[in-house]
Amino acid sequence: NVRLAAADATDDEALDRFIATVGPCDHAVVSIAGGAHIGPFAGFGDTEFDRTIDGKLRPYVHASRAALSVLRPGGSLTLVTGMSARRAWDRLPEPARRALFDGAAARTPLGRVATPADVARAVHALARASFVTGVVVPCDGGAHLP
């Protein structure tokens, strides 16, 4: 019994309205898209830092806090991020982006990048593993392996 929905986690009122429609739940998944500076650390000035805090970190905190308000006792909260959380990827035009993904796929033991279904299966497994807590689980086809 899975329900998918989206809300603007940068808008407190929209987030409150969304949470009011959710009701009690056993598992919540928070995934925030956009809002972060992507690129080399050398170009990460105060403006980019503020944009990342306001567009990525603060929404994760707000959405997680809101999700906790509807979780049943023993429920789980899963935060999902992308590979850019571990590696800085510049925003690229589509041909360069495709080449980047093809290159990333070639470097993984599984020979491909993750699909949404791959990530959903990992989240489902974590939701069922009630004694797993506070861990980072890479769903990257082995790209993190030496």
Side-chain angles (χ1 to χ4, degrees), residues 26-47:
D26 294 316
H27 309 286
V29 179
V30 175
S31 180
I32 306 291
H37 172 73
I38 298 174
F41 182 71
F44 199 81
D46 288 344
T47 300

Side-chain angles (χ1 to χ4, degrees), residues 18-114:
F18 169 73
I19 289 298
T21 70
V22 173
C25 64
D26 294 316
H27 309 286
V29 179
V30 175
S31 180
I32 306 291
H37 172 73
I38 298 174
F41 182 71
F44 199 81
D46 288 344
T47 300
E48 291 79 15
F49 178 74
D50 290 343
R51 188 173 351 136
T52 298
I53 295 297
D54 291 340
K56 197 71 166 180
L57 179 60
R58 194 175 316 280
Y60 263 112
V61 171
H62 288 180
S64 297
R65 189 180 302 136
L68 290 176
S69 74
V70 294
L71 278 178
R72 290 187 181 106
S76 70
L77 173 63
T78 302
L79 306 181
V80 177
T81 67
M83 285 297 294
S84 61
R86 291 180 181 244
R87 297 186 183 135
W89 288 7
D90 289 328
R91 295 178 193 259
L92 299 171
E94 183 54 33
R97 184 175 169 274
R98 177 56 29 217
L100 178 70
F101 277 86
D102 290 346
R107 289 187 299 276
T108 67
L110 295 183
R112 62 182 181 83
V113 295

